[in-house]
mmCIF file of all heavy atoms in Angstrom:
data_model
loop_
_atom_site.group_PDB
_atom_site.id
_atom_site.type_symbol
_atom_site.label_atom_id
_atom_site.label_comp_id
_atom_site.label_asym_id
_atom_site.label_seq_id
_atom_site.Cartn_x
_atom_site.Cartn_y
_atom_site.Cartn_z
ATOM 1 N N GLY A 1 -0.954 -0.268 27.429
ATOM 2 C CA GLY A 1 -1.403 1.025 26.923
ATOM 3 C C GLY A 1 -1.328 1.177 25.424
ATOM 4 O O GLY A 1 -1.860 2.128 24.869
ATOM 5 N N SER A 2 -0.651 0.256 24.751
ATOM 6 C CA SER A 2 -0.568 0.328 23.294
ATOM 7 C C SER A 2 -1.595 -0.608 22.689
ATOM 8 O O SER A 2 -2.076 -1.520 23.346
ATOM 9 C CB SER A 2 0.826 -0.059 22.797
ATOM 10 O OG SER A 2 1.050 -1.437 23.017
ATOM 11 N N ARG A 3 -1.916 -0.368 21.443
ATOM 12 C CA ARG A 3 -2.800 -1.299 20.759
ATOM 13 C C ARG A 3 -2.033 -2.588 20.523
ATOM 14 O O ARG A 3 -0.842 -2.583 20.233
ATOM 15 C CB ARG A 3 -3.298 -0.691 19.450
ATOM 16 C CG ARG A 3 -4.140 0.542 19.700
ATOM 17 C CD ARG A 3 -4.955 0.945 18.511
ATOM 18 N NE ARG A 3 -4.195 0.940 17.286
ATOM 19 C CZ ARG A 3 -4.624 1.509 16.169
ATOM 20 N NH1 ARG A 3 -5.790 2.108 16.158
ATOM 21 N NH2 ARG A 3 -3.909 1.479 15.068
ATOM 22 N N ASP A 4 -2.737 -3.697 20.588
ATOM 23 C CA ASP A 4 -2.056 -4.966 20.764
ATOM 24 C C ASP A 4 -1.194 -5.414 19.599
ATOM 25 O O ASP A 4 -0.302 -6.233 19.781
ATOM 26 C CB ASP A 4 -3.065 -6.061 21.128
ATOM 27 C CG ASP A 4 -4.198 -6.177 20.111
ATOM 28 O OD1 ASP A 4 -4.044 -5.668 18.987
ATOM 29 O OD2 ASP A 4 -5.220 -6.772 20.459
ATOM 30 N N ASP A 5 -1.431 -4.929 18.390
ATOM 31 C CA ASP A 5 -0.645 -5.455 17.277
ATOM 32 C C ASP A 5 -0.123 -4.346 16.366
ATOM 33 O O ASP A 5 0.058 -4.534 15.179
ATOM 34 C CB ASP A 5 -1.465 -6.467 16.471
ATOM 35 C CG ASP A 5 -2.781 -5.871 15.974
ATOM 36 O OD1 ASP A 5 -3.034 -4.682 16.239
ATOM 37 O OD2 ASP A 5 -3.542 -6.590 15.315
ATOM 38 N N ASP A 6 0.119 -3.168 16.912
ATOM 39 C CA ASP A 6 0.584 -2.038 16.101
ATOM 40 C C ASP A 6 1.872 -2.364 15.358
ATOM 41 O O ASP A 6 2.017 -2.064 14.172
ATOM 42 C CB ASP A 6 0.807 -0.805 16.984
ATOM 43 C CG ASP A 6 -0.499 -0.071 17.254
ATOM 44 O OD1 ASP A 6 -1.524 -0.459 16.675
ATOM 45 O OD2 ASP A 6 -0.484 0.892 18.053
ATOM 46 N N ALA A 7 2.857 -2.946 16.055
ATOM 47 C CA ALA A 7 4.146 -3.231 15.424
ATOM 48 C C ALA A 7 3.980 -4.242 14.297
ATOM 49 O O ALA A 7 4.587 -4.107 13.229
ATOM 50 C CB ALA A 7 5.138 -3.744 16.472
ATOM 51 N N PHE A 8 3.181 -5.240 14.529
ATOM 52 C CA PHE A 8 2.921 -6.257 13.513
ATOM 53 C C PHE A 8 2.301 -5.625 12.271
ATOM 54 O O PHE A 8 2.748 -5.849 11.147
ATOM 55 C CB PHE A 8 1.985 -7.308 14.107
ATOM 56 C CG PHE A 8 1.656 -8.442 13.166
ATOM 57 C CD1 PHE A 8 2.403 -9.602 13.178
ATOM 58 C CD2 PHE A 8 0.594 -8.343 12.283
ATOM 59 C CE1 PHE A 8 2.097 -10.657 12.326
ATOM 60 C CE2 PHE A 8 0.275 -9.389 11.433
ATOM 61 C CZ PHE A 8 1.031 -10.548 11.455
ATOM 62 N N MET A 9 1.266 -4.813 12.459
ATOM 63 C CA MET A 9 0.570 -4.214 11.327
ATOM 64 C C MET A 9 1.429 -3.169 10.623
ATOM 65 O O MET A 9 1.355 -3.003 9.405
ATOM 66 C CB MET A 9 -0.750 -3.593 11.788
ATOM 67 C CG MET A 9 -1.716 -4.597 12.411
ATOM 68 S SD MET A 9 -2.010 -6.056 11.379
ATOM 69 C CE MET A 9 -2.958 -5.331 10.047
ATOM 70 N N ARG A 10 2.278 -2.466 11.393
ATOM 71 C CA ARG A 10 3.162 -1.486 10.770
ATOM 72 C C ARG A 10 4.135 -2.171 9.817
ATOM 73 O O ARG A 10 4.347 -1.708 8.685
ATOM 74 C CB ARG A 10 3.937 -0.715 11.836
ATOM 75 C CG ARG A 10 4.939 0.283 11.239
ATOM 76 C CD ARG A 10 5.691 1.027 12.333
ATOM 77 N NE ARG A 10 6.613 1.980 11.740
ATOM 78 C CZ ARG A 10 7.853 1.691 11.362
ATOM 79 N NH1 ARG A 10 8.314 0.447 11.536
ATOM 80 N NH2 ARG A 10 8.624 2.602 10.827
ATOM 81 N N GLU A 11 4.716 -3.282 10.240
ATOM 82 C CA GLU A 11 5.672 -3.959 9.377
ATOM 83 C C GLU A 11 4.983 -4.546 8.150
ATOM 84 O O GLU A 11 5.514 -4.507 7.048
ATOM 85 C CB GLU A 11 6.420 -5.050 10.145
ATOM 86 C CG GLU A 11 7.537 -5.665 9.312
ATOM 87 C CD GLU A 11 8.550 -6.392 10.148
ATOM 88 O OE1 GLU A 11 8.446 -6.369 11.393
ATOM 89 O OE2 GLU A 11 9.461 -7.001 9.552
ATOM 90 N N TRP A 12 3.795 -5.083 8.346
ATOM 91 C CA TRP A 12 3.034 -5.586 7.211
ATOM 92 C C TRP A 12 2.758 -4.447 6.220
ATOM 93 O O TRP A 12 2.935 -4.585 5.018
ATOM 94 C CB TRP A 12 1.728 -6.196 7.716
ATOM 95 C CG TRP A 12 0.936 -6.940 6.659
ATOM 96 C CD1 TRP A 12 1.244 -7.084 5.338
ATOM 97 C CD2 TRP A 12 -0.289 -7.633 6.850
ATOM 98 N NE1 TRP A 12 0.279 -7.824 4.691
ATOM 99 C CE2 TRP A 12 -0.672 -8.175 5.599
ATOM 100 C CE3 TRP A 12 -1.107 -7.840 7.950
ATOM 101 C CZ2 TRP A 12 -1.845 -8.909 5.441
ATOM 102 C CZ3 TRP A 12 -2.261 -8.582 7.775
ATOM 103 C CH2 TRP A 12 -2.623 -9.111 6.532
ATOM 104 N N GLY A 13 2.344 -3.288 6.745
ATOM 105 C CA GLY A 13 2.075 -2.142 5.889
ATOM 106 C C GLY A 13 3.299 -1.697 5.108
ATOM 107 O O GLY A 13 3.211 -1.381 3.918
ATOM 108 N N LEU A 14 4.458 -1.686 5.757
ATOM 109 C CA LEU A 14 5.684 -1.287 5.073
ATOM 110 C C LEU A 14 6.006 -2.237 3.923
ATOM 111 O O LEU A 14 6.394 -1.808 2.836
ATOM 112 C CB LEU A 14 6.848 -1.253 6.070
ATOM 113 C CG LEU A 14 6.866 -0.078 7.048
ATOM 114 C CD1 LEU A 14 7.935 -0.305 8.111
ATOM 115 C CD2 LEU A 14 7.126 1.235 6.302
ATOM 116 N N ARG A 15 5.851 -3.521 4.169
ATOM 117 C CA ARG A 15 6.174 -4.503 3.126
ATOM 118 C C ARG A 15 5.203 -4.419 1.953
ATOM 119 O O ARG A 15 5.554 -4.757 0.826
ATOM 120 C CB ARG A 15 6.162 -5.912 3.726
ATOM 121 C CG ARG A 15 7.264 -6.159 4.748
ATOM 122 C CD ARG A 15 7.129 -7.538 5.367
ATOM 123 N NE ARG A 15 7.403 -8.587 4.381
ATOM 124 C CZ ARG A 15 8.607 -9.072 4.108
ATOM 125 N NH1 ARG A 15 9.664 -8.604 4.743
ATOM 126 N NH2 ARG A 15 8.764 -10.019 3.220
ATOM 127 N N GLU A 16 3.983 -3.982 2.203
ATOM 128 C CA GLU A 16 2.974 -3.856 1.147
ATOM 129 C C GLU A 16 2.890 -2.437 0.598
ATOM 130 O O GLU A 16 2.000 -2.136 -0.193
ATOM 131 C CB GLU A 16 1.606 -4.261 1.703
ATOM 132 C CG GLU A 16 1.506 -5.699 2.146
ATOM 133 C CD GLU A 16 1.480 -6.669 0.979
ATOM 134 O OE1 GLU A 16 0.956 -6.299 -0.082
ATOM 135 O OE2 GLU A 16 2.005 -7.792 1.129
ATOM 136 N N HIS A 17 3.808 -1.563 0.996
ATOM 137 C CA HIS A 17 3.773 -0.136 0.635
ATOM 138 C C HIS A 17 2.392 0.443 0.930
ATOM 139 O O HIS A 17 1.815 1.174 0.132
ATOM 140 C CB HIS A 17 4.156 0.085 -0.830
ATOM 141 C CG HIS A 17 4.410 1.531 -1.159
ATOM 142 N ND1 HIS A 17 5.367 2.273 -0.519
ATOM 143 C CD2 HIS A 17 3.815 2.363 -2.060
ATOM 144 C CE1 HIS A 17 5.359 3.498 -1.007
ATOM 145 N NE2 HIS A 17 4.426 3.581 -1.933
ATOM 146 N N TYR A 18 1.862 0.079 2.075
ATOM 147 C CA TYR A 18 0.578 0.584 2.574
ATOM 148 C C TYR A 18 -0.583 0.276 1.634
ATOM 149 O O TYR A 18 -1.628 0.935 1.682
ATOM 150 C CB TYR A 18 0.667 2.088 2.842
ATOM 151 C CG TYR A 18 1.841 2.454 3.709
ATOM 152 C CD1 TYR A 18 2.993 3.022 3.149
ATOM 153 C CD2 TYR A 18 1.841 2.190 5.074
ATOM 154 C CE1 TYR A 18 4.089 3.328 3.935
ATOM 155 C CE2 TYR A 18 2.934 2.495 5.862
ATOM 156 C CZ TYR A 18 4.054 3.064 5.291
ATOM 157 O OH TYR A 18 5.140 3.363 6.069
ATOM 158 N N GLY A 19 -0.418 -0.731 0.790
ATOM 159 C CA GLY A 19 -1.474 -1.110 -0.135
ATOM 160 C C GLY A 19 -1.453 -0.362 -1.451
ATOM 161 O O GLY A 19 -2.239 -0.666 -2.348
ATOM 162 N N LEU A 20 -0.546 0.594 -1.610
ATOM 163 C CA LEU A 20 -0.451 1.375 -2.854
ATOM 164 C C LEU A 20 0.498 0.626 -3.787
ATOM 165 O O LEU A 20 1.689 0.918 -3.880
ATOM 166 C CB LEU A 20 0.064 2.784 -2.549
ATOM 167 C CG LEU A 20 -0.756 3.540 -1.495
ATOM 168 C CD1 LEU A 20 -0.061 4.824 -1.092
ATOM 169 C CD2 LEU A 20 -2.165 3.817 -1.990
ATOM 170 N N THR A 21 -0.044 -0.357 -4.504
ATOM 171 C CA THR A 21 0.806 -1.342 -5.163
ATOM 172 C C THR A 21 1.075 -1.077 -6.634
ATOM 173 O O THR A 21 1.925 -1.743 -7.220
ATOM 174 C CB THR A 21 0.177 -2.739 -5.024
ATOM 175 O OG1 THR A 21 -1.182 -2.701 -5.499
ATOM 176 C CG2 THR A 21 0.177 -3.184 -3.570
ATOM 177 N N GLU A 22 0.366 -0.151 -7.252
ATOM 178 C CA GLU A 22 0.613 0.087 -8.674
ATOM 179 C C GLU A 22 0.219 1.509 -9.069
ATOM 180 O O GLU A 22 -0.853 1.988 -8.710
ATOM 181 C CB GLU A 22 -0.172 -0.905 -9.537
ATOM 182 C CG GLU A 22 0.100 -0.770 -11.031
ATOM 183 C CD GLU A 22 -0.666 -1.766 -11.881
ATOM 184 O OE1 GLU A 22 -1.473 -2.539 -11.318
ATOM 185 O OE2 GLU A 22 -0.468 -1.768 -13.105
ATOM 186 N N LEU A 23 1.098 2.154 -9.807
ATOM 187 C CA LEU A 23 0.834 3.441 -10.438
ATOM 188 C C LEU A 23 1.183 3.297 -11.913
ATOM 189 O O LEU A 23 2.258 2.803 -12.244
ATOM 190 C CB LEU A 23 1.688 4.556 -9.815
ATOM 191 C CG LEU A 23 1.407 4.920 -8.361
ATOM 192 C CD1 LEU A 23 2.510 5.804 -7.816
ATOM 193 C CD2 LEU A 23 0.064 5.632 -8.247
ATOM 194 N N ARG A 24 0.264 3.722 -12.786
ATOM 195 C CA ARG A 24 0.517 3.528 -14.205
ATOM 196 C C ARG A 24 -0.129 4.645 -15.015
ATOM 197 O O ARG A 24 -1.229 5.100 -14.703
ATOM 198 C CB ARG A 24 -0.046 2.181 -14.643
ATOM 199 C CG ARG A 24 0.546 1.705 -15.948
ATOM 200 C CD ARG A 24 0.169 0.310 -16.382
ATOM 201 N NE ARG A 24 -0.736 -0.463 -15.599
ATOM 202 C CZ ARG A 24 -1.625 -1.292 -16.161
ATOM 203 N NH1 ARG A 24 -1.721 -1.394 -17.481
ATOM 204 N NH2 ARG A 24 -2.419 -2.020 -15.405
ATOM 205 N N VAL A 25 0.588 5.077 -16.070
ATOM 206 C CA VAL A 25 0.007 6.000 -17.049
ATOM 207 C C VAL A 25 -0.566 5.160 -18.179
ATOM 208 O O VAL A 25 0.170 4.488 -18.905
ATOM 209 C CB VAL A 25 1.055 6.985 -17.593
ATOM 210 C CG1 VAL A 25 0.400 7.941 -18.597
ATOM 211 C CG2 VAL A 25 1.698 7.776 -16.461
ATOM 212 N N LEU A 26 -1.878 5.187 -18.344
ATOM 213 C CA LEU A 26 -2.547 4.458 -19.411
ATOM 214 C C LEU A 26 -2.659 5.341 -20.642
ATOM 215 O O LEU A 26 -2.565 6.569 -20.544
ATOM 216 C CB LEU A 26 -3.932 4.009 -18.937
ATOM 217 C CG LEU A 26 -3.937 3.141 -17.679
ATOM 218 C CD1 LEU A 26 -5.358 2.911 -17.192
ATOM 219 C CD2 LEU A 26 -3.238 1.823 -17.931
ATOM 220 N N PRO A 27 -2.842 4.764 -21.825
ATOM 221 C CA PRO A 27 -2.962 5.564 -23.048
ATOM 222 C C PRO A 27 -4.021 6.656 -22.913
ATOM 223 O O PRO A 27 -5.090 6.436 -22.338
ATOM 224 C CB PRO A 27 -3.350 4.532 -24.108
ATOM 225 C CG PRO A 27 -2.734 3.256 -23.610
ATOM 226 C CD PRO A 27 -2.875 3.312 -22.121
ATOM 227 N N GLY A 28 -3.695 7.836 -23.450
ATOM 228 C CA GLY A 28 -4.584 8.984 -23.317
ATOM 229 C C GLY A 28 -4.389 9.732 -22.020
ATOM 230 O O GLY A 28 -5.195 10.590 -21.651
ATOM 231 N N ASN A 29 -3.299 9.433 -21.309
ATOM 232 C CA ASN A 29 -2.988 10.043 -20.013
ATOM 233 C C ASN A 29 -4.100 9.830 -18.995
ATOM 234 O O ASN A 29 -4.444 10.714 -18.223
ATOM 235 C CB ASN A 29 -2.676 11.539 -20.132
ATOM 236 C CG ASN A 29 -2.036 12.085 -18.862
ATOM 237 O OD1 ASN A 29 -1.356 11.364 -18.126
ATOM 238 N ND2 ASN A 29 -2.269 13.356 -18.596
ATOM 239 N N VAL A 30 -4.679 8.631 -19.003
ATOM 240 C CA VAL A 30 -5.561 8.212 -17.929
ATOM 241 C C VAL A 30 -4.665 7.569 -16.871
ATOM 242 O O VAL A 30 -3.913 6.648 -17.171
ATOM 243 C CB VAL A 30 -6.619 7.217 -18.434
ATOM 244 C CG1 VAL A 30 -7.477 6.713 -17.284
ATOM 245 C CG2 VAL A 30 -7.488 7.865 -19.503
ATOM 246 N N ARG A 31 -4.727 8.062 -15.643
ATOM 247 C CA ARG A 31 -3.811 7.596 -14.603
ATOM 248 C C ARG A 31 -4.483 6.537 -13.730
ATOM 249 O O ARG A 31 -5.627 6.704 -13.290
ATOM 250 C CB ARG A 31 -3.345 8.757 -13.731
ATOM 251 C CG ARG A 31 -2.579 9.854 -14.496
ATOM 252 C CD ARG A 31 -1.171 9.420 -14.850
ATOM 253 N NE ARG A 31 -0.470 10.436 -15.630
ATOM 254 C CZ ARG A 31 0.396 11.308 -15.129
ATOM 255 N NH1 ARG A 31 0.673 11.294 -13.829
ATOM 256 N NH2 ARG A 31 1.001 12.181 -15.918
ATOM 257 N N LEU A 32 -3.751 5.460 -13.456
ATOM 258 C CA LEU A 32 -4.251 4.331 -12.664
ATOM 259 C C LEU A 32 -3.521 4.253 -11.334
ATOM 260 O O LEU A 32 -2.289 4.310 -11.278
ATOM 261 C CB LEU A 32 -4.048 3.017 -13.434
ATOM 262 C CG LEU A 32 -4.302 1.728 -12.645
ATOM 263 C CD1 LEU A 32 -5.791 1.554 -12.370
ATOM 264 C CD2 LEU A 32 -3.750 0.517 -13.388
ATOM 265 N N LEU A 33 -4.292 4.099 -10.252
ATOM 266 C CA LEU A 33 -3.756 3.801 -8.925
ATOM 267 C C LEU A 33 -4.437 2.542 -8.428
ATOM 268 O O LEU A 33 -5.669 2.502 -8.318
ATOM 269 C CB LEU A 33 -4.027 4.967 -7.961
ATOM 270 C CG LEU A 33 -3.787 4.685 -6.467
ATOM 271 C CD1 LEU A 33 -2.344 4.291 -6.198
ATOM 272 C CD2 LEU A 33 -4.194 5.896 -5.627
ATOM 273 N N ARG A 34 -3.653 1.508 -8.148
ATOM 274 C CA ARG A 34 -4.211 0.287 -7.569
ATOM 275 C C ARG A 34 -3.958 0.287 -6.072
ATOM 276 O O ARG A 34 -2.828 0.493 -5.612
ATOM 277 C CB ARG A 34 -3.592 -0.960 -8.207
ATOM 278 C CG ARG A 34 -3.951 -2.228 -7.457
ATOM 279 C CD ARG A 34 -3.908 -3.483 -8.286
ATOM 280 N NE ARG A 34 -4.131 -4.668 -7.483
ATOM 281 C CZ ARG A 34 -5.286 -5.034 -6.936
ATOM 282 N NH1 ARG A 34 -6.355 -4.282 -7.117
ATOM 283 N NH2 ARG A 34 -5.390 -6.125 -6.223
ATOM 284 N N ILE A 35 -5.027 0.059 -5.304
ATOM 285 C CA ILE A 35 -4.934 -0.006 -3.847
ATOM 286 C C ILE A 35 -5.389 -1.397 -3.428
ATOM 287 O O ILE A 35 -6.571 -1.719 -3.488
ATOM 288 C CB ILE A 35 -5.788 1.076 -3.167
ATOM 289 C CG1 ILE A 35 -5.438 2.466 -3.719
ATOM 290 C CG2 ILE A 35 -5.590 1.038 -1.657
ATOM 291 C CD1 ILE A 35 -6.268 3.589 -3.144
#
């Protein structure tokens, strides 16, 4: 009844911070988000 690899993908997501890998304030207060 569960999707076949939910636990696997959840742990991968946690280790990668869900793909939100970089936050940065660039000069001029331009904000960067890397996904």
Side-chain angles (χ1 to χ4, degrees):
S2 69
R3 296 196 314 194
D4 55 17
D5 56 1
D6 278 354
F8 181 93
M9 299 308 290
R10 177 180 181 273
E11 187 161 356
W12 189 358
L14 286 171
R15 294 176 68 87
E16 297 288 328
H17 192 59
Y18 308 103
L20 305 171
T21 53
E22 183 179 3
L23 294 168
R24 199 173 2 144
V25 181
L26 303 172
N29 194 29
V30 176
R31 299 285 177 99
L32 170 71
L33 168 60
R34 169 155 174 71
I35 306 178

